[in-house]
Each structure stands twice: as C-alpha cells, then as structure tokens.
Amino acid sequence: MSEDPLILSLETATLGGSVWLGRGRLQLAARRGDPLVSQSSSLLADIDHCLQVAGVSVAEIDLFACASGPGSFTGLRIGIATLKALAATLDRPCVGIPTLRAVAHSAGPSAATVALLPAGRGEVFAQLFSVSSVSREEIVKPVDTPAHIPPEQLIEKYGGLSEIRWVGSGAQLQRGIIENAALARDFEFADFSSHAGDTRGWMIAEHPENLAANVAALALQSSREGITQRADQLHAIYVRPSDAELAK
C-alpha cells in the first residue's frame, strides 16, 4: 500500500450516515445521507456518487473503513455488510472504527471529551476520551468503556469533571440536562467553537457534518501503524442488546 492510500469510508451508525473518499487525509468526494431515507436504499448510490466525483473505480480503493458501532442496529448491519462485501471481493484490508471514537475525534483536542449518541428510549451511548494533537493528527484515547445509560446517570458519571467537551447528536438532544447540570455546579457553559480562545467549563460541540471523514482519519492512523483487518474479522460493536433480543 502506498504512503497515502485511497480510502473509502462509510458511516451508517447514525441517521442518514455519510460516505467519504480520499487520498490519505485529502478529501476527493463526500456525501451525506438523507435521514428520511433508508440506507439500504441509498448507500450504494452514495458510494457510486463519490467514486464518480473522484474519478476512480472501486477496484482502485486501497483501504476500506467504517464506523463499527455503537449506533443504529439496522444501519450498522447495512454498512458493515456492504464494506465486508467490497473488501472481500477486492481482497483489500479494512478497519472498523468505534463510532464514539470518531465522534470524539471530530471535536479536536481536549483533556476530557464525552462523545454521545442517541440510543433510543431517551437514553444515550456515552464514552469519555482524551484527544491530543500530535504532528497535526488528533490522537484519541479512551478513558473509560462505552456505556448505554439514561441521561441522569450520564450526569452522575461525569458531573465531577469541571471541564468537559460534549460532542455528538446525543449531546444536542440532551443539551437541556447538560446545561442545567453545569449551572447547578457553577460551571461555565457554552457552545464550543474551534476558534474560541477560552475552553473552560462545559462546552457542547456540534455533531460532525460528515462523520465518515473522521472514521477515515482514524483508519489512516491505524493503517500507518500496521493495524488493519480482513473482511471476515470486521464485527459490529452494539454495547446493548437489540430490541428483539430484549423482548425474548
């Protein structure tokens, strides 16, 4: 594989999802999915769109990457099955990136970043990370393990930290609870801006516009470290049982 591999990255863990195609960190094409359209109907068309915009064929892809969960059960199965089929057919390496890790990556360097995604029934998938900048690369390190919890437990779990960067669509949905908890603790609270000079207190960052780009950046780091997978080794991270399993 060349120093700058051609990467196709899929993110189907969130509503709509996204596709990203690039040479190393250089974006050649990107596509956001429609939250109102099933990814089973749109994913292949979105991949084809990116390939056409970039002027490459799928056979030229060096590395396949995808968000491996947690997230939507159906979306993850669609994305991972698609990626595995492409990687296996072309005999290419692939990398599965935990979704919460990619979400944390999107918000930039921070000593304490809590990545949040909706988990249904008002609950969230949550994980704490530290994100450092090394040679213009964001290095994301987990501080704890991913959890599936109600918002109240989220505050109990992380409320003792005086400086937190909250990020992800789950953070936006739980904004009121997070803001009230910050004010109750006399912590500063604000929306995060990458241009802001002061990052004290609790700050909420927007969910990334194209999470597949962050998946690709982390997959590139893994590839450079020689950490890739065969298609048959790629599996989803669910964190909690599916509704069907819970109903049994």
Side-chain angles (χ1 to χ4, degrees), residues 26-81:
L26 176 63
Q27 177 176 303
L28 301 178
R31 183 87 160 180
R32 290 185 64 187
D34 185 341
L36 301 178
V37 176
S38 169
Q39 290 167 331
S40 62
S41 303
S42 63
L43 183 57
L44 290 177
D46 289 341
I47 292 171
D48 186 61
H49 170 85
C50 287
L51 291 169
Q52 290 191 35
V53 168
V56 300
S57 71
V58 69
E60 295 176 72
I61 302 298
D62 298 306
L63 178 67
F64 290 93
C66 71
S68 57
S72 161
F73 282 88
T74 302
L76 286 171
R77 288 168 179 161
I78 291 168
I80 290 176

Side-chain angles (χ1 to χ4, degrees), residues 4-9 20-30 54 61-63 216:
D4 292 311
L6 189 62
I7 304 172
L8 177 64
S9 174
W20 188 91
L21 177 63
R23 175 74 65 182
R25 293 293 298 270
L26 176 63
Q27 177 176 303
L28 301 178
I61 302 298
D62 298 306
L63 178 67

Side-chain angles (χ1 to χ4, degrees), residues 10-234:
L10 313 180
E11 185 278 295
T12 58
T14 64
L15 282 176
S18 53
V19 177
W20 188 91
L21 177 63
R23 175 74 65 182
R25 293 293 298 270
L26 176 63
Q27 177 176 303
L28 301 178
R31 183 87 160 180
R32 290 185 64 187
D34 185 341
L36 301 178
V37 176
S38 169
Q39 290 167 331
S40 62
S41 303
S42 63
L43 183 57
L44 290 177
D46 289 341
I47 292 171
D48 186 61
H49 170 85
C50 287
L51 291 169
Q52 290 191 35
V53 168
V56 300
S57 71
V58 69
E60 295 176 72
I61 302 298
D62 298 306
L63 178 67
F64 290 93
C66 71
S68 57
S72 161
F73 282 88
T74 302
L76 286 171
R77 288 168 179 161
I78 291 168
I80 290 176
T82 301
L83 194 86
K84 290 174 74 167
L86 292 171
T89 300
L90 297 169
D91 192 25
R92 299 288 194 277
C94 53
V95 179
I97 297 296
T99 316
L100 293 170
R101 186 178 169 211
V103 171
H105 180 273
S106 73
S110 168
T113 295
V114 176
L116 299 177
L117 289 174
R121 301 176 181 173
E123 299 182 327
V124 292
F125 295 117
Q127 190 172 7
L128 175 64
F129 298 87
S130 67
V131 184
S132 57
S133 181
V134 180
S135 300
R136 293 185 294 181
E137 296 270 355
E138 278 75 46
I139 307 301
V140 184
K141 295 183 178 180
V143 177
D144 61 9
T145 57
H148 167 233
I149 55 178
E152 296 75 16
Q153 289 183 24
L154 176 73
I155 299 303
E156 291 175 13
K157 188 170 187 177
Y158 300 119
L161 299 173
S162 60
E163 296 187 6
I164 301 177
R165 189 170 299 172
W166 305 85
V167 61
S169 52
Q172 297 297 324
L173 288 174
Q174 303 301 334
R175 179 189 180 92
I177 289 176
I178 295 171
E179 181 174 4
N180 289 338
L183 297 177
R185 289 161 172 76
D186 292 324
F187 296 158
E188 294 184 28
F189 178 85
D191 289 302
F192 171 72
S193 168
S194 60
H195 304 294
D198 190 351
T199 58
R200 293 177 298 174
W202 287 11
M203 310 192 78
I204 289 192
E206 290 289 341
H207 186 73
E209 178 141 345
N210 188 306
L211 189 56
N214 301 100
V215 171
L218 291 169
L220 180 62
Q221 290 179 16
S222 292
S223 175
R224 286 174 174 169
E225 293 169 3
I227 304 172
T228 60
Q229 300 162 284
R230 299 190 312 270
D232 64 313
Q233 296 174 316
L234 187 62

